Amino acid sequence: LVVYSRPIHLSTTNLVMTSLIRQWLRYMAKKDFSSLEQINQLYPDSEEFSGEDMISREHQQPDHEGCRIEGDQMTTQNSNGDIELVLHRSGIKVGVYTKFDQSWNLVEVGRYRHGQKIGPCWRKVSYECWIVMPNQQTDEMKIWKNCAFIYPDLSTALVGDLSSSVLATSTLQVAQVAGAVNSHGVLIPSLKSCGVEIPCPADEMTETVITQPLYKDPYEQKIVEVRESLIPGAGEGLFTKQQVAAGQLIAFFAGVKVDEQNKLSENGHSDYAISLKNGELLDIPDNLRSTYCGSLGHKACHSFQPSAFYGHAKHPRFGDVRCIIALHNLEPGQEITTDYRYNLSKAPDWYIACLKTFLTKNRDYTEEQAQTYINQLVRKNDHE
């Protein structure tokens, strides 16, 4: 991956390249061998496809364990459930391969030569975020060198060294995809620097949030903005700056890691706390809530008729984070809302009042019926 130093601005050329890369990924996502056969015919490796002499060397031993072979097609089921499709010559994997998860979502594209992975590789991280490696690097390697973390727009990128958990181990350069080179059927993005560097994150998300709170995410800067919410009394909210498609990742939610008993608000309740995993929560410290902009997912306001939902993602600056995903298509300038899904026995008064209003206005409950329903939910939550 080459990052050119001249700063650039988004142009028609970038949009065309983004469209071409998206089409290539869709083409590679076919759940059969048709795309592999066509790609390998269009971009053959003359040495690799030169006949039996090339595949009969002693060090090339076919491995059929976990494989199903039909003609020149090989399907491999990995221990984690991933399914790899690749062509073979006498049991030796050759050419471009694709890998799918158990739901048949494309998660990796790369290339074999003489049964060994070689050259550039695309690996999906989450919600159409990809890591592009200039050379194949295994999960066992502690550091993946000179990789590009490409956001869902397939245009914005962070470039640097990444750990196998996707956390950056070097300074990150903000870049734009300006072109692509075809390497035997696998695209290698050409990247141009935006003239912005983000310092190497700390080993833990908490320290990064506290010590580097003002470095903005380049993808979020394109997609969303913060301004006064349209919900009365809600304070700031999160709004789209461009069209967003259903299922698209809109924003990330990083924060300080805490547990249920140690939320960062003085009164023991925090409107900014969200569950991460294994009992951990992410929260934004009181002293950073007006200034922190490393991620903007915490700015989305609550609604019982939300336009987005919370998912899980990985980010080079923070590691495992939560994220916000669009439930349906959104137009520019539309406020992004999520359902906070508070436990009613612990929910703040404003949330209870919001639920009561929702029930009376949208479910035709009377005031008494709404209160009775809420009381039932509170008792149910108390016993869970």
Side-chain angles (χ1 to χ4, degrees), residues 48-85:
E48 187 159 64
F49 290 86
S50 60
E52 291 299 321
D53 290 343
M54 190 52 59
I55 60 173
S56 62
R57 299 178 180 177
E58 292 182 359
H59 71 278
Q60 296 176 342
Q61 297 297 323
D63 179 7
H64 302 297
E65 185 176 355
C67 297
R68 185 176 74 251
I69 295 178
E70 297 179 4
D72 63 352
Q73 301 172 355
M74 180 183 293
T75 304
T76 305
Q77 181 91 35
N78 296 333
S79 58
N80 64 355
D82 287 351
I83 302 162
E84 181 186 84
L85 304 184

Side-chain angles (χ1 to χ4, degrees), residues 4 36 39 45 91 94 149 188 334:
Y4 299 98
L36 299 182
I39 285 286
D45 184 320
V94 294
F149 176 90
I188 307 175
Q334 190 167 344

Side-chain angles (χ1 to χ4, degrees), residues 13-249:
T13 302
N14 299 108
L15 296 176
V16 169
M17 286 311 308
T18 296
S19 177
L20 289 173
I21 292 173
R22 197 177 303 279
Q23 289 180 41
W24 174 74
L25 286 171
R26 288 174 179 168
Y27 183 72
M28 300 311 300
K30 291 183 178 181
K31 304 174 183 62
D32 55 38
F33 286 87
S34 61
S35 59
L36 299 182
E37 291 169 340
Q38 293 174 17
I39 285 286
N40 287 322
Q41 288 173 3
L42 286 171
Y43 304 102
D45 184 320
S46 58
E47 181 182 6
E48 187 159 64
F49 290 86
S50 60
E52 291 299 321
D53 290 343
M54 190 52 59
I55 60 173
S56 62
R57 299 178 180 177
E58 292 182 359
H59 71 278
Q60 296 176 342
Q61 297 297 323
D63 179 7
H64 302 297
E65 185 176 355
C67 297
R68 185 176 74 251
I69 295 178
E70 297 179 4
D72 63 352
Q73 301 172 355
M74 180 183 293
T75 304
T76 305
Q77 181 91 35
N78 296 333
S79 58
N80 64 355
D82 287 351
I83 302 162
E84 181 186 84
L85 304 184
V86 66
L87 301 180
H88 75 97
R89 298 291 183 270
S90 298
I92 304 299
K93 297 177 181 180
V94 294
V96 176
Y97 71 87
T98 52
K99 187 179 290 186
F100 300 84
D101 63 18
Q102 296 180 61
S103 300
W104 284 97
N105 299 304
L106 182 68
V107 295
E108 188 172 326
V109 182
R111 177 171 162 262
Y112 278 100
R113 188 177 188 187
H114 309 325
Q116 300 295 318
K117 291 182 177 179
I118 189 174
C121 170
W122 288 66
R123 291 186 183 179
K124 183 182 286 187
V125 179
S126 54
Y127 290 107
E128 301 308 318
C129 294
W130 293 84
I131 292 177
V132 182
M133 305 175 182
N135 294 291
Q136 288 277 1
Q137 302 179 58
T138 66
D139 291 339
E140 288 72 27
M141 299 176 68
K142 293 184 178 180
I143 304 297
W144 296 339
K145 293 289 186 180
N146 193 30
C147 298
F149 176 90
I150 298 184
Y151 289 92
D153 62 356
L154 298 179
S155 173
T156 311
L158 295 175
V159 183
D161 298 341
L162 304 177
S163 70
S164 56
S165 63
V166 189
L167 187 66
T169 59
S170 70
T171 297
L172 293 167
Q173 294 186 62
V174 180
Q176 292 282 350
V177 175
V181 177
N182 192 321
S183 176
H184 299 284
V186 180
L187 294 186
I188 307 175
S190 298
L191 303 170
K192 288 188 177 180
S193 173
C194 295
V196 177
E197 288 191 348
I198 299 175
C200 181
D203 292 338
E204 291 291 334
M205 184 195 320
T206 294
E207 187 176 347
T208 301
V209 169
I210 292 174
T211 61
Q212 302 176 11
L214 303 181
Y215 289 92
K216 297 180 180 181
D217 183 86
Y219 175 74
E220 289 184 336
Q221 286 183 281
K222 290 183 178 181
I223 304 296
V224 296
E225 64 182 348
V226 176
R227 63 174 192 256
E228 192 70 18
S229 174
L230 301 177
I231 302 171
E236 292 182 327
L238 195 62
F239 293 79
T240 56
K241 293 174 68 175
Q242 59 179 249
Q243 286 186 329
V244 172
Q248 181 177 339
L249 190 153

